Amino acid sequence: MKKIAFLFSGQGAQAPGMGKSLCEASAAARRVFDMADEIRPGTSAQCFDGTKEELSVTLNTQPCLYCVDLAAGEALRERGIRPAAAAGFSLGEIAALQFSGAFEDGDGFRLVLRRAELMHEASEASGSGMAAVVKLSNDLVIELCSGFPEVYPINFNCPGQVAVAAKRETLPAFAEAVKKAGGRAMILPVSGGFHSPFMLPAAEGLEAALRGYALRQPELPVYANSTAAPFGEADEDMKTLIAKQAVRPVLWQKTLERMAADGIEAFVEVGVGKTLSSFVKKTLPGAEIYNVEDAASLEAAAAALGA
């Protein structure tokens, strides 16, 4: 049988109406939104009817995207599609862990609510933002960052694309330096400089919050953002890796390469958009790629994968 990996999407892909047709098409997806509404009333309405501006606020973005991620994964599982492994980009990592059984029911969502609060507070305090740099090598981006105070390379997405975190007022000058070097820097629709030292208070808060959760070893390999290896292979325990992810770079290109080396043949992006699908395409040319974000893409992926 073909080895499939689910890739749970992260912040930045949010869009009005997300998850609505998925919820209508799948009882398993609907249960995810029902769970969220019990814990945080109004979450499904915010996903389905919220404005772009409302959904771009971290306090709303993270719980809403988490729900769509998990709903898409559960809808596929309902149709008999079972992955051999999983990974999630940033926020998506918690959805991947919940899907794999690492959290008790609802606990992943509860942790995301706290994560959103902590990251929102850290973002407000730091005045930070993010930009994606394209058309330059990783080493050159790292070198350019070193020429500015508090500019950090944070997400190594795929060949030729690295995201950076910086103070918002620094981003225009950094973008100009990138342009002079032959690249292009695009400001990202996120409200803070995630996965950088700007998020240190959030990481400390997550460490404290995680003491109140019981975690289990995932039922399938879940590749951690900060190590590009399955949880359980690192010296640090699962709770430490989840908390520290807030201040550590996301090694996404290495994660995809490791998954392919471990025998993954097809990748299914679960959640809003096709950002992770594009990273797979650029990192692993010729890889089999699907995405599931609504009823139509759910049926297409399920049919292609043999359900």
Side-chain angles (χ1 to χ4, degrees), residues 75-291:
L76 277 170
R77 177 149 56 190
E78 182 182 47
R79 280 160 171 73
I81 306 299
R82 303 299 173 99
F89 193 99
S90 188
L91 163 74
E93 185 168 272
I94 301 178
L97 288 166
Q98 179 74 69
F99 179 86
S100 71
F103 287 101
E104 299 285 349
D105 288 347
D107 278 356
F109 186 68
R110 292 183 182 93
L111 182 63
V112 164
L113 294 179
R114 183 60 181 142
R115 184 181 189 269
E117 291 173 354
L118 291 164
M119 287 188 154
H120 177 78
E121 291 167 3
S123 298
E124 291 283 302
S126 66
S128 57
M130 289 170 56
V133 179
V134 296
K135 299 183 179 180
L136 297 180
S137 69
N138 291 357
D139 289 342
L140 183 50
V141 175
I142 292 169
E143 182 182 336
L144 288 172
C145 289
S146 69
F148 289 82
E150 295 187 296
V151 178
Y152 308 100
I154 52 162
N155 297 343
F156 295 88
N157 296 331
C158 62
Q161 185 177 139
V162 179
V164 304
K167 295 278 191 180
R168 291 193 178 277
E169 62 266 24
T170 306
L171 284 171
F174 178 76
E176 186 60 30
V178 168
K179 184 178 180 180
K180 288 180 180 177
R184 185 159 59 101
M186 300 167 287
I187 307 301
L188 296 176
V190 295
S191 56
F194 307 134
H195 306 291
S196 75
F198 295 125
M199 294 293 115
L200 183 57
E204 292 171 345
L206 280 168
E207 281 193 289
L210 280 159
R211 296 188 195 114
Y213 291 87
L215 269 64
R216 301 181 290 254
Q217 186 63 28
E219 296 166 2
L220 67 157
V222 177
Y223 291 69
N225 284 186
S226 60
T227 65
F231 281 91
E233 288 192 10
D235 292 335
E236 296 170 302
D237 64 21
M238 194 181 306
K239 290 183 178 181
T240 299
L241 283 173
I242 294 169
K244 297 291 188 185
Q245 185 229 54
V247 292
R248 291 177 176 172
V250 175
L251 306 179
W252 193 251
Q253 180 180 336
K254 287 185 177 180
T255 297
L256 296 176
E257 291 168 344
R258 170 68 190 272
M259 295 177 103
D262 289 346
I264 296 300
E265 301 167 88
F267 297 84
V268 185
E269 179 172 3
V270 287
V272 185
K274 297 182 181 179
T275 300
L276 302 186
S277 299
S278 72
F279 294 163
V280 175
K281 185 176 182 179
K282 292 172 183 175
T283 304
L284 304 170
E288 194 172 335
I289 308 167
Y290 306 91
N291 80 293

